[in-house]
Amino acid sequence: MLDNYLLEELVTFAQTGTLAKTAATLNVTQPTVTRGMQKLESDLGVQLFDRQPNRLSLTATGKLAATEARALLTANQAAVDRIQNFDRNQRVLQVGATLPGPLIALQSLATQLPANVQLAETADVIDPTQALLANDDALIFTNHPLAAPAITSERLGTERLAVNLNQFMYQANQATITFAELADLSFVVLNDIGPWRAIIQDNIPGAKFFYQEERDALTEITKFSDFPYFSTNVSQFDPVLTTQLATDDKRVCLPITDNAAQMPIYACYLTAEKARVAPILKQAQAVWPD
Amino acid sequence: MLDNYLLEELVTFAQTGTLAKTAATLNVTQPTVTRGMQKLESDLGVQLFDRQPNRLSLTATGKLAATEARALLTANQAAVDRIQNFDRNQRVLQVGATLPGPLIALQSLATQLPANVQLAETADVIDPTQALLANDDALIFTNHPLAAPAITSERLGTERLAVNLNQFMYQANQATITFAELADLSFVVLNDIGPWRAIIQDNIPGAKFFYQEERDALTEITKFSDFPYFSTNVSQFDPVLTTQLATDDKRVCLPITDNAAQMPIYACYLTAEKARVAPILKQAQAVWPD
DNA sequence: AACAATTACGGAATCCGTAAAAATT
DNA sequence: AATTTTTACGGATTCCGTAATTGTT
């Protein structure tokens, strides 16, 4: 068995090239690292270094050992994360998403949700499969099912994009609209909108987008300007938009009819956690506007 | 970072169920294990055990931690093995096989091989891909190419099965033979013949096979009996068979013409080790009877 | 002179075993 | 009575830092 602190020293040496820098980056003294690498060699019964009086360099075996060590350390850290996240998720049930719509819908009934449910602030999940397997989230909303065998992906419904145009714009004079009809316009858009971002960028020719990190900043800009903004059949639950804007917003909401503007929504969770996420899923299905 | 000795204690507790038995199997005292599990809980910041005055049981988190711990320990051990095997293979170049033919062919020119080449005694490689990736062998002969991306599988030639029949048997009166014509006969066969074993068992109806572990025992039996035995175009290099038998063996060698009796031979090695195995491959190709 | 590695020595932290206690079956 | 877990205490091991040595650039 190889001790972790020795593996760290080896990995750092592979990066830095000298024992002195290794010691410096690990906040220990050189003799510590010297002894450590000697012990690692003796534990393995293998020569890891070519020794010249003033220079240490890794042998071929040493290089292999360094990459193996790196893998072991990351595996160890990943295990710690999984265990700690699992323990946390025993108490608070973390809900994430790759797109904001479903989170907004759930937030609208926050009072009716179990007290241990913790909704993510923004749609910032990069790799949903990894996030579930690492017990980072117990439930993640995505726009595509996940392939991993331990994961169940349940179709929740469809999110449909709409655009809110000033009522005096000529395009506003209709019940629905297409991406093509929005060409060359400028929009204010939230930053964390997941896959929607690529969709609007790829489908509206010549458009410009002003991305806003904060939702409050976005509502401010929309309130005091004529920039069109996007919404969906799900974001209608957004309390910020509905309360602060709806009262005096002179825009009209036009659903976008393109296929690309219709997005399937899936609820993904570890199959082993089905029982724990079931009540939340039931709530989500109940409020889904389909 | 989780210390290995704590992980071992957790894994053994998951197996045995009590700290006392855990201590016994690990050859330490109970207080050691008690403190160890307390430290592991404190390191993780997580409760791993349900504590009743006289009974300790794993929580859900604890069970997860135990399986994670087991994985980390096996990964650690596997890394050690890979490193040590790699180091050994820097000096001696280990050659294995899933079938004996190619090893026999190479053995016939043992004197001309580099001194650091170590040929396996018997064809006992179970999982050639694993053996290569673990640096257990540097070169393995198989009857099928290996799929792993880091591995190169080079077609070496074809091994062709033959049977040696007493010259007075009526089937011996021909140049070649088929499996069907060997029906209901009894054969003496070596134990470690890899895939050949399934082939003769599946293709010769009603045949009986007397498997011998030792090659010497097999030659003894064949010498003092009339049992037919198998050979191939490659096993002709076998010094035991050729010297001890050929002089007074009254059998005739009949190649078997069935497709199933023709076996492709591949030389498999880590692509990164190509340069080191190249000279051996060259020798093998030179003597191959194709 | 500056830098890198190693060794020697003493202190500090950690880990372990013995002994004893508390509680259960 | 026998088991199991836990705490307390002392010893032993291990690990680390300071100081000093060697050799190279």
Side-chain angles (χ1 to χ4, degrees):
Chain A
M1 284 298 133
L2 305 178
D3 287 322
N4 291 323
Y5 73 100
L6 299 179
L7 299 182
E8 284 190 53
E9 293 178 4
L10 178 62
V11 168
T12 325
F13 178 87
Q15 291 173 348
T16 61
T18 74
L19 293 185
K21 292 177 186 168
T22 302
T25 56
L26 293 180
N27 291 321
V28 292
T29 59
Q30 286 101 332
T32 299
V33 188
T34 297
R35 284 187 301 257
M37 295 299 90
Q38 286 170 345
K39 175 164 163 52
L40 189 58
E41 279 182 318
S42 123
D43 287 351
L44 278 168
V46 150
Q47 189 170 345
L48 298 174
F49 301 94
D50 278 328
R51 285 187 165 75
Q52 288 165 340
N54 199 26
R55 198 88 212 149
L56 245 119
S57 55
L58 287 170
T59 63
T61 304
K63 289 176 185 169
L64 172 65
T67 66
E68 294 282 353
R70 199 190 319 272
L72 287 179
L73 291 178
T74 59
N76 197 314
Q77 186 56 51
V80 171
D81 291 342
R82 276 193 295 271
I83 294 168
Q84 291 177 339
N85 288 340
F86 180 88
D87 189 65
R88 173 173 53 76
N89 271 351
Q90 295 284 103
R91 320 187 186 295
V92 299
L93 202 148
Q94 200 88 10
V95 180
T98 63
L99 71 182
L103 287 180
I104 295 173
L106 269 184
Q107 238 155 8
S108 70
L109 22 104
T111 56
Q112 302 161 49
L113 287 176
N116 64 340
V117 173
Q118 176 84 28
L119 299 178
E121 294 287 326
T122 55
D124 57 355
V125 175
I126 307 296
D127 182 346
T129 302
Q130 205 50 42
L132 286 177
L133 292 178
N135 292 316
D136 212 18
D137 295 286
L139 174 64
I140 298 182
F141 295 105
T142 68
N143 65 328
H144 56 84
L146 304 182
I151 295 178
T152 299
S153 301
E154 236 173 80
R155 175 73 182 262
L156 193 60
T158 305
E159 185 165 4
R160 307 176 188 282
L161 193 65
V163 69
N164 297 267
L165 293 182
N166 184 294
Q167 55 188 342
F168 300 118
M169 292 177 67
Y170 72 91
Q171 297 101 325
N173 198 16
Q174 48 187 335
T176 64
I177 202 168
T178 65
F179 278 135
E181 294 172 312
L182 296 172
D184 300 321
L185 289 179
S186 295
F187 304 84
V188 282
V189 189
L190 261 185
N191 226 338
D192 292 331
I193 55 172
W196 287 121
R197 185 161 180 162
I199 287 180
I200 59 178
Q201 287 179 348
D202 294 349
N203 286 280
I204 308 180
K208 282 180 184 167
F209 303 98
F210 302 120
Y211 289 104
Q212 294 296 318
E213 184 64 45
E214 301 287 335
R215 182 172 300 180
D216 288 336
L218 181 121
T219 52
E220 281 299 303
I221 294 177
T222 53
K223 191 185 288 185
F224 297 110
S225 75
D226 284 334
F227 285 123
Y229 67 92
F230 294 101
S231 62
T232 74
N233 60 331
V234 176
S235 73
Q236 64 177 296
F237 294 108
D238 189 344
V240 180
L241 281 176
T242 49
T243 59
Q244 296 192 11
L245 271 180
T247 51
D248 55 349
D249 192 10
K250 299 302 181 195
R251 294 182 178 83
V252 291
C253 180
L254 303 177
I256 302 173
T257 55
D258 303 57
N259 271 341
Q262 325 301 319
M263 193 175 283
I265 302 297
Y266 293 87
C268 309
Y269 52 88
L270 292 180
T271 311
E273 297 287 279
K274 183 180 178 65
R276 296 184 56 238
V277 301
I280 303 161
L281 271 187
K282 203 172 173 183
Q283 299 265 38
Q285 286 162 344
V287 293
W288 197 268
D290 254 0
Chain B
M1 285 297 135
L2 304 178
D3 287 322
N4 291 324
Y5 73 100
L6 299 179
L7 299 182
E8 285 191 52
E9 293 178 3
L10 178 62
V11 168
T12 20
F13 177 87
Q15 290 173 348
T16 61
T18 73
L19 294 185
K21 292 176 186 169
T22 302
T25 56
L26 293 179
N27 291 322
V28 292
T29 58
Q30 285 101 335
T32 299
V33 188
T34 296
R35 283 188 303 258
M37 295 300 89
Q38 285 170 347
K39 176 165 163 51
L40 189 58
E41 279 182 318
S42 123
D43 287 350
L44 278 168
V46 150
Q47 188 171 344
L48 298 174
F49 301 93
D50 279 329
R51 285 188 166 75
Q52 289 164 339
N54 197 25
R55 197 90 212 146
L56 228 83
S57 56
L58 287 169
T59 63
T61 305
K63 288 176 185 170
L64 172 67
T67 66
E68 295 282 352
R70 198 191 320 271
L72 288 179
L73 290 178
T74 60
N76 197 312
Q77 186 56 51
V80 171
D81 290 343
R82 276 192 296 269
I83 295 169
Q84 291 177 339
N85 288 339
F86 179 87
D87 187 66
R88 173 174 52 77
N89 272 350
Q90 295 285 103
R91 321 188 185 293
V92 299
L93 201 148
Q94 200 88 9
V95 180
T98 63
L99 72 181
L103 287 179
I104 294 174
L106 270 184
Q107 239 156 7
S108 71
L109 20 105
T111 57
Q112 301 161 51
L113 287 176
N116 64 341
V117 172
Q118 176 85 26
L119 299 178
E121 293 288 325
T122 54
D124 57 354
V125 175
I126 307 294
D127 183 345
T129 303
Q130 204 50 42
L132 286 176
L133 292 178
N135 293 315
D136 211 20
D137 295 286
L139 175 63
I140 298 183
F141 295 106
T142 68
N143 65 327
H144 56 86
L146 303 182
I151 296 179
T152 299
S153 301
E154 233 173 84
R155 175 72 182 261
L156 192 60
T158 305
E159 186 167 4
R160 306 177 190 282
L161 194 64
V163 70
N164 297 268
L165 294 182
N166 184 293
Q167 55 187 344
F168 299 118
M169 292 177 67
Y170 72 90
Q171 296 102 327
N173 198 18
Q174 48 186 337
T176 64
I177 202 168
T178 66
F179 279 134
E181 294 172 310
L182 296 173
D184 301 321
L185 289 179
S186 296
F187 305 83
V188 281
V189 190
L190 262 186
N191 225 337
D192 291 331
I193 56 173
W196 287 121
R197 185 163 180 161
I199 288 180
I200 57 177
Q201 287 179 347
D202 293 348
N203 288 280
I204 309 181
K208 282 180 184 167
F209 302 98
F210 302 119
Y211 289 104
Q212 294 296 319
E213 184 64 44
E214 301 288 335
R215 183 174 301 181
D216 288 337
L218 182 120
T219 51
E220 280 299 304
I221 294 177
T222 52
K223 191 186 291 185
F224 297 110
S225 75
D226 285 334
F227 285 121
Y229 67 91
F230 294 102
S231 63
T232 74
N233 60 332
V234 176
S235 73
Q236 63 178 295
F237 293 109
D238 190 342
V240 181
L241 280 177
T242 48
T243 58
Q244 295 193 11
L245 271 181
T247 51
D248 55 350
D249 192 11
K250 299 304 180 194
R251 294 183 179 79
V252 292
C253 181
L254 303 177
I256 302 173
T257 54
D258 303 57
N259 271 340
Q262 324 301 321
M263 194 175 283
I265 302 296
Y266 293 86
C268 309
Y269 51 89
L270 292 180
T271 311
E273 298 287 280
K274 182 179 180 65
R276 296 183 57 239
V277 301
I280 303 161
L281 271 187
K282 204 172 173 184
Q283 298 265 38
Q285 286 163 345
V287 293
W288 197 267
D290 253 0

